Amino acid sequence: MGANTAEAAVPDAIQELSDRLTTSYADLLTAAIVRDVVRDSYRPLSNARIPTYVPILVEHNCRTKLRQLTRRPDPTVLVREHSDGVRGHSITRACRRVRIALTRSA
């Protein structure tokens, strides 16, 4: 049997999502930050057994994280202060710190 067409379409849908979000947040965040958020949101779902709703779940998660990042006065300050020089780690760490700060304040 060939590859499942839904599984084959997921990476394309994630790329389209990344492009859409990059355009939507162009005034607020850099394209690299948006791409890293999309990649970090997609990674845990990349091996889903049923990939039908993966793009929708990734989009919802990304929009939530991007809204949180844009609410800060300077969303890149976490990235600059806590970057360990490894690509992707600084964004993940920044998102975790934002999530922790928001949960503590709620």
Side-chain angles (χ1 to χ4, degrees):
M1 288 256 146
N4 185 350
T5 56
E7 290 176 8
V10 170
D12 294 335
I14 298 301
Q15 182 59 45
E16 291 170 10
L17 170 65
S18 181
D19 295 341
R20 274 196 330 263
L21 291 175
T22 300
T23 303
S24 296
Y25 286 89
D27 297 342
L28 303 170
L29 298 168
T30 65
I33 290 175
V34 174
R35 280 193 309 268
D36 287 343
V37 168
V38 171
R39 188 181 65 240
D40 288 345
S41 296
Y42 174 62
R43 187 174 297 132
L45 300 171
S46 63
N47 294 323
R49 288 179 43 203
I50 302 173
T52 306
Y53 297 106
V54 167
I56 295 168
L57 295 170
V58 170
E59 181 170 3
H60 178 73
N61 193 16
C62 288
R63 288 191 183 275
T64 301
K65 288 180 180 180
L66 292 171
R67 268 189 242 113
Q68 290 172 352
L69 286 173
T70 56
R71 286 185 186 143
R72 295 189 59 82
D74 183 7
T76 60
V77 75
L78 288 173
V79 176
R80 286 195 309 260
E81 288 177 359
H82 301 290
S83 177
D84 58 0
V86 179
R87 187 165 190 254
H89 288 224
S90 57
I91 298 301
T92 304
R93 186 174 295 134
C95 290
R96 284 186 191 139
R97 290 181 193 276
V98 168
R99 188 179 326 128
I100 290 168
L102 290 173
T103 0
R104 287 184 182 161
S105 65

